[in-house]
Coordinates of all heavy atoms in Angstrom, one line a residue:
T1417 N 0.9 -1.2 0.0 CA 0.0 0.0 -0.1 C 0.9 1.2 0.0 O 0.7 2.2 -0.8 CB -0.9 0.0 1.3 OG1 -1.8 -1.1 1.1 CG2 -1.7 1.3 1.2
V1418 N 1.9 1.3 0.9 CA 2.7 2.4 1.0 C 3.5 2.6 -0.3 O 3.6 3.8 -0.9 CB 3.7 2.3 2.2 CG1 4.7 3.3 2.2 CG2 2.9 2.4 3.5
L1419 N 4.1 1.6 -0.8 CA 4.9 1.7 -2.0 C 4.1 2.0 -3.3 O 4.5 2.7 -4.2 CB 5.7 0.4 -2.2 CG 6.9 0.2 -1.2 CD1 7.4 -1.2 -1.3 CD2 7.9 1.3 -1.4
G1420 N 2.9 1.4 -3.3 CA 2.0 1.7 -4.5 C 1.6 3.1 -4.5 O 1.5 3.7 -5.6
R1421 N 1.2 3.7 -3.3 CA 0.9 5.1 -3.3 C 2.0 6.0 -3.6 O 1.8 6.9 -4.5 CB 0.4 5.4 -1.8 CG 0.0 6.9 -1.6 CD -0.8 7.0 -0.3 NE 0.1 6.6 0.8 CZ -0.2 5.7 1.7 NH1 -1.3 5.0 1.6 NH2 0.7 5.5 2.7
R1422 N 3.3 5.7 -3.3 CA 4.4 6.5 -3.6 C 4.6 6.4 -5.1 O 5.0 7.3 -5.9 CB 5.6 6.1 -2.9 CG 7.0 6.8 -3.3 CD 6.9 8.2 -3.1 NE 6.7 8.7 -1.7 CZ 7.8 8.7 -0.9 NH1 9.1 8.6 -1.4 NH2 7.6 9.2 0.4
A1423 N 4.5 5.1 -5.7 CA 4.8 4.9 -7.2 C 3.8 5.7 -7.9 O 4.2 6.3 -8.9 CB 4.6 3.4 -7.4
E1424 N 2.5 5.8 -7.6 CA 1.5 6.5 -8.4 C 1.8 8.0 -8.2 O 1.6 8.8 -9.2 CB 0.2 6.1 -7.9 CG -0.3 4.7 -8.3 CD -1.7 4.3 -7.6 OE1 -2.2 5.1 -6.8 OE2 -2.1 3.4 -8.1
I1425 N 2.3 8.5 -7.1 CA 2.6 9.9 -7.0 C 3.8 10.3 -8.0 O 3.7 11.4 -8.5 CB 3.0 10.2 -5.6 CG1 1.7 10.2 -4.6 CG2 3.7 11.6 -5.3 CD1 2.0 10.2 -3.2
L1426 N 4.7 9.4 -8.1 CA 5.8 9.6 -8.9 C 5.6 9.3 -10.4 O 6.5 9.5 -11.3 CB 7.0 8.7 -8.5 CG 7.6 9.1 -7.2 CD1 8.6 8.0 -6.7 CD2 8.4 10.4 -7.3
G1427 N 4.3 8.9 -10.7 CA 3.9 8.8 -12.1 C 4.1 7.4 -12.7 O 4.0 7.3 -14.0
V1428 N 4.3 6.5 -11.9 CA 4.4 5.0 -12.4 C 3.0 4.6 -12.9 O 2.0 4.8 -12.1 CB 4.9 4.1 -11.3 CG1 4.9 2.6 -11.7 CG2 6.4 4.5 -10.9
E1429 N 3.0 3.9 -13.9 CA 1.7 3.4 -14.4 C 1.6 1.8 -14.0 O 2.5 1.1 -14.3 CB 1.6 3.4 -15.9 CG 0.3 3.1 -16.5 CD 0.3 3.3 -18.1 OE1 1.2 3.9 -18.6 OE2 -0.7 2.7 -18.7
I1430 N 0.6 1.5 -13.4 CA 0.4 0.2 -12.8 C -0.8 -0.5 -13.5 O -2.0 0.1 -13.3 CB 0.3 0.1 -11.3 CG1 1.4 0.8 -10.6 CG2 0.0 -1.3 -10.8 CD1 1.3 0.9 -9.1
K1431 N -0.6 -1.5 -14.2 CA -1.8 -2.3 -14.8 C -1.9 -3.6 -14.1 O -1.0 -4.5 -14.1 CB -1.5 -2.5 -16.3 CG -1.6 -1.1 -17.1 CD -1.5 -1.5 -18.6 CE -1.5 -0.1 -19.4 NZ -2.9 0.4 -19.3
R1432 N -3.1 -3.8 -13.5 CA -3.4 -5.2 -12.7 C -4.2 -6.1 -13.6 O -5.0 -5.6 -14.4 CB -4.0 -4.9 -11.4 CG -3.1 -4.0 -10.4 CD -3.7 -3.9 -9.1 NE -2.8 -3.0 -8.3 CZ -1.8 -3.4 -7.6 NH1 -1.4 -4.7 -7.7 NH2 -1.1 -2.5 -6.9
G1433 N -4.0 -7.4 -13.5 CA -4.8 -8.3 -14.4 C -4.1 -8.5 -15.7 O -4.8 -8.8 -16.6
F1434 N -2.8 -8.3 -15.7 CA -2.0 -8.3 -17.0 C -0.9 -9.3 -16.8 O 0.2 -9.0 -16.6 CB -1.5 -7.0 -17.5 CG -2.5 -6.0 -18.0 CD1 -3.5 -5.4 -17.3 CD2 -2.6 -5.9 -19.4 CE1 -4.4 -4.6 -17.8 CE2 -3.5 -5.1 -20.0 CZ -4.5 -4.3 -19.2
P1435 N -1.1 -10.7 -16.9 CA 0.0 -11.6 -16.7 C 0.8 -11.7 -18.0 O 0.3 -11.7 -19.0 CB -0.8 -12.9 -16.5 CG -2.1 -12.8 -17.3 CD -2.5 -11.3 -17.1
L1436 N 2.1 -11.6 -17.8 CA 3.0 -11.7 -18.9 C 3.0 -13.1 -19.4 O 3.1 -14.1 -18.7 CB 4.4 -11.3 -18.5 CG 5.5 -11.2 -19.5 CD1 6.5 -10.2 -19.0 CD2 6.2 -12.5 -19.6
T1437 N 3.0 -13.2 -20.7 CA 2.9 -14.6 -21.3 C 4.1 -14.9 -22.2 O 4.5 -16.1 -22.3 CB 1.7 -14.8 -22.2 OG1 1.6 -13.7 -23.3 CG2 0.3 -14.7 -21.3
S1438 N 4.7 -13.9 -22.8 CA 5.9 -14.1 -23.6 C 6.6 -12.8 -23.9 O 6.0 -11.7 -23.5 CB 5.5 -14.7 -25.0 OG 4.7 -13.9 -25.8
L1439 N 7.7 -12.8 -24.5 CA 8.4 -11.6 -24.8 C 9.3 -11.8 -26.0 O 9.7 -12.9 -26.4 CB 9.2 -11.1 -23.5 CG 10.3 -12.1 -23.0 CD1 11.7 -11.9 -23.7 CD2 10.5 -11.9 -21.5
D1440 N 9.7 -10.7 -26.6 CA 10.6 -10.6 -27.7 C 11.7 -9.6 -27.3 O 11.4 -8.5 -27.0 CB 10.0 -10.3 -29.0 CG 8.9 -11.3 -29.4 OD1 9.2 -12.4 -29.5 OD2 7.8 -10.9 -29.6
Q1441 N 13.0 -9.9 -27.4 CA 14.1 -9.1 -27.1 C 14.8 -8.7 -28.4 O 15.2 -9.5 -29.2 CB 15.0 -9.6 -26.0 CG 16.1 -8.7 -25.7 CD 17.0 -9.2 -24.6 OE1 17.9 -8.5 -24.0 NE2 16.9 -10.5 -24.2
T1442 N 15.1 -7.4 -28.5 CA 16.0 -6.9 -29.5 C 17.1 -6.1 -29.0 O 17.3 -6.0 -27.7 CB 15.2 -6.1 -30.5 OG1 14.9 -4.7 -29.8 CG2 13.8 -6.6 -30.9
E1443 N 18.0 -5.6 -29.8 CA 19.2 -4.8 -29.3 C 18.7 -3.5 -28.8 O 19.4 -2.9 -27.9 CB 20.2 -4.5 -30.4 CG 20.9 -5.8 -30.9 CD 22.0 -5.5 -32.0 OE1 22.1 -4.3 -32.3 OE2 22.6 -6.4 -32.4
E1444 N 17.5 -3.0 -29.2 CA 17.0 -1.7 -28.7 C 16.1 -1.9 -27.5 O 15.8 -0.8 -26.8 CB 16.4 -1.0 -29.8 CG 17.2 -0.5 -30.9 CD 17.7 -1.6 -31.8 OE1 16.8 -2.7 -32.0 OE2 18.7 -1.7 -32.4
G1445 N 15.5 -3.1 -27.3 CA 14.5 -3.1 -26.2 C 13.9 -4.4 -26.1 O 14.3 -5.4 -26.6
V1446 N 12.7 -4.4 -25.4 CA 11.9 -5.6 -25.1 C 10.4 -5.4 -25.5 O 9.9 -4.3 -24.9 CB 12.2 -6.2 -23.6 CG1 11.4 -7.4 -23.5 CG2 13.6 -6.3 -23.3
I1447 N 9.9 -6.3 -26.1 CA 8.4 -6.3 -26.3 C 7.7 -7.3 -25.5 O 8.1 -8.5 -25.6 CB 8.0 -6.5 -27.8 CG1 8.7 -5.4 -28.7 CG2 6.5 -6.5 -27.9 CD1 8.5 -5.7 -30.2
V1448 N 6.9 -7.0 -24.6 CA 6.2 -7.9 -23.6 C 4.8 -8.1 -24.1 O 4.1 -7.2 -24.3 CB 6.3 -7.2 -22.2 CG1 5.5 -8.0 -21.3 CG2 7.7 -7.1 -21.7
H1449 N 4.4 -9.4 -24.1 CA 3.1 -9.8 -24.5 C 2.3 -10.3 -23.3 O 2.8 -11.1 -22.5 CB 3.1 -10.9 -25.5 CG 4.0 -10.5 -26.8 ND1 3.7 -9.4 -27.6 CD2 5.2 -11.0 -27.2 CE1 4.6 -9.4 -28.5 NE2 5.5 -10.3 -28.3
T1450 N 1.1 -9.8 -23.1 CA 0.2 -10.4 -22.2 C -0.8 -11.1 -22.9 O -0.7 -11.5 -24.1 CB -0.4 -9.3 -21.3 OG1 -1.2 -8.4 -22.2 CG2 0.6 -8.5 -20.6
E1451 N -2.0 -11.4 -22.4 CA -3.0 -12.3 -23.0 C -3.5 -11.6 -24.3 O -3.7 -12.3 -25.3 CB -4.1 -12.7 -22.1 CG -3.6 -13.7 -20.9 CD -4.7 -13.9 -20.0 OE1 -5.7 -13.1 -20.0 OE2 -4.6 -14.9 -19.2
D1452 N -3.7 -10.3 -24.3 CA -4.3 -9.8 -25.5 C -3.7 -8.3 -25.7 O -4.2 -7.6 -26.6 CB -5.8 -9.6 -25.3 CG -6.2 -8.8 -24.2 OD1 -5.3 -8.4 -23.3 OD2 -7.4 -8.6 -23.9
R1453 N -2.6 -8.0 -25.1 CA -2.0 -6.6 -25.4 C -0.4 -6.9 -25.4 O 0.1 -7.9 -25.0 CB -2.2 -5.8 -24.1 CG -3.7 -5.4 -23.9 CD -4.2 -4.3 -24.6 NE -3.5 -3.1 -24.3 CZ -3.8 -2.1 -23.4 NH1 -4.8 -2.3 -22.6 NH2 -3.1 -1.0 -23.2
S1454 N 0.2 -5.8 -26.0 CA 1.7 -5.9 -26.1 C 2.2 -4.5 -25.6 O 1.5 -3.5 -25.8 CB 2.2 -6.1 -27.6 OG 1.8 -7.5 -27.9
F1455 N 3.4 -4.5 -25.0 CA 3.9 -3.3 -24.5 C 5.4 -3.3 -24.8 O 6.1 -4.4 -24.7 CB 3.7 -3.2 -22.9 CG 2.3 -3.3 -22.5 CD1 1.7 -4.5 -22.2 CD2 1.5 -2.1 -22.5 CE1 0.4 -4.5 -21.8 CE2 0.1 -2.2 -22.1 CZ -0.4 -3.4 -21.8
Q1456 N 6.0 -2.1 -25.0 CA 7.4 -2.0 -25.5 C 8.2 -1.2 -24.5 O 7.7 -0.1 -24.0 CB 7.4 -1.4 -26.8 CG 8.9 -1.5 -27.4 CD 9.0 -1.1 -28.9 OE1 7.9 -0.9 -29.5 NE2 10.2 -1.1 -29.4
G1457 N 9.3 -1.6 -24.1 CA 10.2 -1.0 -23.2 C 11.6 -1.1 -23.6 O 12.0 -2.0 -24.3
Q1458 N 12.4 -0.2 -23.2 CA 13.9 -0.3 -23.4 C 14.4 -1.4 -22.5 O 15.3 -2.1 -23.0 CB 14.6 1.0 -23.0 CG 14.3 2.2 -23.9 CD 15.2 3.4 -23.5 OE1 16.4 3.3 -23.4 NE2 14.6 4.6 -23.2
W1459 N 13.9 -1.6 -21.3 CA 14.3 -2.6 -20.4 C 13.2 -3.3 -19.9 O 12.1 -2.7 -19.6 CB 15.3 -2.1 -19.3 CG 16.5 -1.5 -19.9 CD1 16.7 -0.2 -20.3 CD2 17.8 -2.0 -19.9 NE1 18.0 0.1 -20.8 CE2 18.7 -1.1 -20.5 CE3 18.2 -3.3 -19.6 CZ2 20.0 -1.3 -20.7 CZ3 19.6 -3.5 -19.8 CH2 20.5 -2.6 -20.3
L1460 N 13.4 -4.6 -19.4 CA 12.4 -5.3 -18.7 C 13.0 -5.9 -17.4 O 14.2 -6.5 -17.5 CB 11.9 -6.5 -19.5 CG 11.0 -7.5 -18.8 CD1 9.7 -6.9 -18.3 CD2 10.7 -8.7 -19.7
V1461 N 12.3 -5.7 -16.2 CA 12.9 -6.3 -15.0 C 11.8 -7.3 -14.5 O 10.7 -6.9 -14.3 CB 13.2 -5.3 -13.9 CG1 13.8 -5.9 -12.7 CG2 14.1 -4.2 -14.5

């Protein structure tokens, strides 16, 4: 609760109900796939 509140204040976007299913990595970044959506980032942790 405490960390989630701070994260939202700092502008972190939190999506719940989005289980990661697969990913594709390139030299420039990572594309993350959930059940029906895809998201792109420079890094994945």
